[in-house]
Amino acid sequence: MRRATHTLWVLYAALAVGLFGCALMSHQAHHWPGVAFFAAAAIGAALAIVHTSWLLDEHRHVLARLDARTRRQDDTVRDALNAACCEPWWASAGAEHDPVTCTRKDQTT
């Protein structure tokens, strides 16, 4: 994603430079509405670089939050699985059973 973002930034910068060149040519021709239009478009293209950078930072922040949330959920599931006392608990869907008589075949600890 970084490579695509950098390519987009280069294209935005080239567009901004081209539009600024058009603004300079309009200035030389004393065409003031053209100067205003092309200068505003060049500034807009330059601001697009900043906006895309901000979006990339937001995307990274959201991914970090999702990763942390997924880790917490994985820990919760792992704790629930480790707390299960026996295989019949899974077969009985949580119905009452005697944990003393349970044997856990897959217990590794």
Side-chain angles (χ1 to χ4, degrees):
M1 184 158 100
R2 182 179 301 270
R3 185 176 298 160
T5 304
H6 287 175
T7 303
L8 185 61
W9 289 344
V10 168
L11 291 174
Y12 281 148
L15 178 65
V17 169
L19 288 169
F20 185 69
C22 290
L24 287 177
M25 285 192 286
S26 293
H27 177 68
Q28 289 173 351
H30 301 290
H31 187 255
W32 302 114
V35 172
F37 174 76
F38 287 122
I43 291 171
L47 288 177
I49 297 170
V50 176
H51 180 69
T52 308
S53 174
W54 177 78
L55 285 176
L56 183 62
D57 289 343
E58 285 294 312
H59 184 258
R60 287 180 186 152
H61 179 69
V62 167
L63 284 179
R65 282 195 346 223
L66 285 175
D67 189 40
R69 185 177 296 155
T70 302
R71 272 193 239 125
R72 282 196 308 265
Q73 289 175 351
D74 288 346
D75 291 343
T76 303
V77 169
R78 187 179 315 109
D79 292 344
L81 289 173
N82 288 336
C85 65
C86 60
E87 289 181 20
W89 182 87
W90 296 110
S92 64
E96 290 296 323
H97 64 280
D98 186 16
V100 176
T101 59
C102 287
T103 58
R104 185 168 175 191
K105 296 177 187 176
D106 64 335
Q107 187 172 6
T108 57
T109 57

